[in-house]
Amino acid sequence: LLAQLRKTHRGQTFTRDDVAALGESLDTDLASWLSVWLDETDLPAFVAEEARAFRLPDSEDGTPRYQVLLRLRNDGPVAGHCMMQTYFGDSSAPSKSEPLRIEAHSEVELGDVVSKPPTTVHLEPYLALNRRGFGITPEADDIEQTVDGEPFVGIRELEYSVPESASIVVDDLDEGHFRANEKEGRSFFRLGGRAGEDQDLDGGIPANRVGPPPSRWERVQIWGAYGKYRHTAAVVSPKNEEQTAVFTAELPEDGSWSLEFFVATGLRQRILGVQGSMPKTYDLTIEDSSGAQELSFDASAAVAGWNLLGEFELAGGEVSVEVAAGEGSRLIVADAIRWTPAGKIAKEGSE
């Protein structure tokens, strides 16, 4: 493309239409890319609904084949581009799709066929509200059980719909509903810039720069964290018992509510030297207008994603969940909690 551009316009200016026409001559749709880059000020917003993986019949030469499917939504008001990457749990390079255009307010299914059992599917957005890529673990009850079907590679449209849920999710990025405490009665949202003039803030909390577990609260971007668009968590290696995280929600009615806690994956790769400091036990305090309830959560035995902590009788209105480091824990990772009316536990999602 650049060689042709130099050849046809050496010493001259060129227009957007010239670039689009040149791309068309090279079987490349540059017009749609230029439209997103130059005409739009809004951003796409990608949400991965689910990923599935299963084994297909082997190819004619005996090569194993595994089908990977990713359900993806763009909630943004403009189109955007992204790439799907399939990882295998070893040191081999991932399988990558071509850059894909996802229209505004649309839903698609992305497909790939690989020769090894997939372990993680990553969605890598270009310029988007997501900022960075994120990954989900594909559903695969028995990955070696062969399923008859035609292999699918590429993109196909689905009916766009935003799922309704009876659940109330509180994420670490929810302003007014999440607080990272540093000292008794104070939080980073109140401390403001005192964290250091040379340190960037991300939603009122210092942004992590990759390194050992921080002694003060920092926000990290982790591919396996919860997030509607951005996938982040607040982390700290607490030096005192006042360093806690508080999630606050408004429950619409009195009753029995199930509480789930999201455990992020990918933390070891994001924070260096964290191997000896992974979360062990959290002490949680649930408080509503009727009083407080305490429980302990063994994070070292938790599964990646949502973990059910129990059912609690609560009064409608404001309810808070305070997370503190339990005995032997040297790290708190505050990502997200989810309240659901008892008996209506939501299907685990990957947003």
Side-chain angles (χ1 to χ4, degrees), residues 123-143:
L123 195 284
E124 296 294 335
Y126 289 75
L127 186 62
L129 283 178
N130 306 82
R131 297 195 187 181
R132 292 187 179 182
F134 59 94
I136 58 177
T137 301
E139 299 176 7
D141 294 334
D142 185 357
I143 192 64

Side-chain angles (χ1 to χ4, degrees), residues 24-173:
E24 186 175 350
S25 71
L26 299 172
D27 295 324
T28 301
D29 179 18
L30 288 181
S32 65
W33 289 75
L34 291 169
S35 175
V36 171
W37 292 342
L38 301 180
D39 298 336
E40 305 293 350
T41 55
D42 291 313
L43 293 174
F46 297 115
V47 177
E49 286 298 328
E50 64 177 4
R52 296 183 292 132
F54 51 88
R55 185 161 185 171
L56 295 170
D58 294 348
S59 63
E60 293 183 359
D61 62 3
T63 301
R65 297 189 302 175
Y66 297 88
Q67 178 73 68
V68 181
L69 298 172
L70 176 66
R71 192 181 183 100
L72 180 67
R73 211 172 66 229
N74 177 9
D75 289 341
V78 296
H81 294 84
C82 64
M83 177 189 297
M84 183 175 80
Q85 300 183 350
T86 303
Y87 287 82
F88 308 104
D90 55 26
S91 58
S92 61
S95 174
K96 298 182 180 181
S97 73
E98 293 295 318
L100 303 167
R101 178 184 171 96
I102 313 298
E103 298 300 327
H105 300 303
S106 69
E107 191 163 345
V108 298
E109 187 171 55
L110 309 182
D112 193 10
V113 175
V114 295
S115 60
K116 294 186 292 185
T119 56
T120 309
V121 180
H122 281 227
L123 195 284
E124 296 294 335
Y126 289 75
L127 186 62
L129 283 178
N130 306 82
R131 297 195 187 181
R132 292 187 179 182
F134 59 94
I136 58 177
T137 301
E139 299 176 7
D141 294 334
D142 185 357
I143 192 64
E144 293 301 334
Q145 183 176 351
T146 302
V147 177
D148 288 331
E150 291 296 322
F152 169 65
V153 178
I155 180 172
R156 52 192 173 197
E157 294 185 8
L158 303 174
E159 182 180 354
Y160 176 72
S161 64
V162 178
E164 297 181 357
S165 174
S167 299
I168 300 170
V169 177
V170 185
D171 182 51
D172 70 287
L173 284 173

Side-chain angles (χ1 to χ4, degrees), residues 98-263:
E98 293 295 318
L100 303 167
R101 178 184 171 96
I102 313 298
E103 298 300 327
H105 300 303
S106 69
E107 191 163 345
V108 298
E109 187 171 55
L110 309 182
D112 193 10
V113 175
V114 295
S115 60
K116 294 186 292 185
T119 56
T120 309
V121 180
H122 281 227
L123 195 284
E124 296 294 335
Y126 289 75
L127 186 62
L129 283 178
N130 306 82
R131 297 195 187 181
R132 292 187 179 182
F134 59 94
I136 58 177
T137 301
E139 299 176 7
D141 294 334
D142 185 357
I143 192 64
E144 293 301 334
Q145 183 176 351
T146 302
V147 177
D148 288 331
E150 291 296 322
F152 169 65
V153 178
I155 180 172
R156 52 192 173 197
E157 294 185 8
L158 303 174
E159 182 180 354
Y160 176 72
S161 64
V162 178
E164 297 181 357
S165 174
S167 299
I168 300 170
V169 177
V170 185
D171 182 51
D172 70 287
L173 284 173
D174 290 341
E175 185 176 354
H177 296 278
F178 176 79
R179 186 173 75 249
N181 292 325
E182 277 295 326
K183 296 181 180 180
E184 185 175 0
R186 306 185 75 181
S187 72
F188 258 119
F189 294 107
R190 297 190 182 95
L191 291 172
R194 298 183 188 180
E197 294 182 0
D198 62 340
Q199 189 163 9
D200 294 332
L201 296 182
D202 186 350
I205 298 177
N208 179 262
R209 299 178 175 178
V210 183
S215 59
R216 303 184 73 185
W217 282 102
E218 293 185 359
R219 176 162 282 126
V220 299
Q221 299 197 72
I222 315 172
W223 68 261
Y226 177 85
K228 186 169 185 180
Y229 304 128
R230 294 187 60 207
H231 295 254
T232 66
V235 301
V236 69
S237 179
K239 301 302 180 184
N240 58 68
E241 60 185 15
E242 283 79 28
Q243 289 177 297
T244 64
V246 180
F247 297 90
T248 305
E250 288 286 333
L251 301 185
E253 59 187 17
D254 299 353
S256 181
W257 289 81
S258 298
L259 175 62
E260 296 169 276
F261 191 95
F262 195 92
V263 174

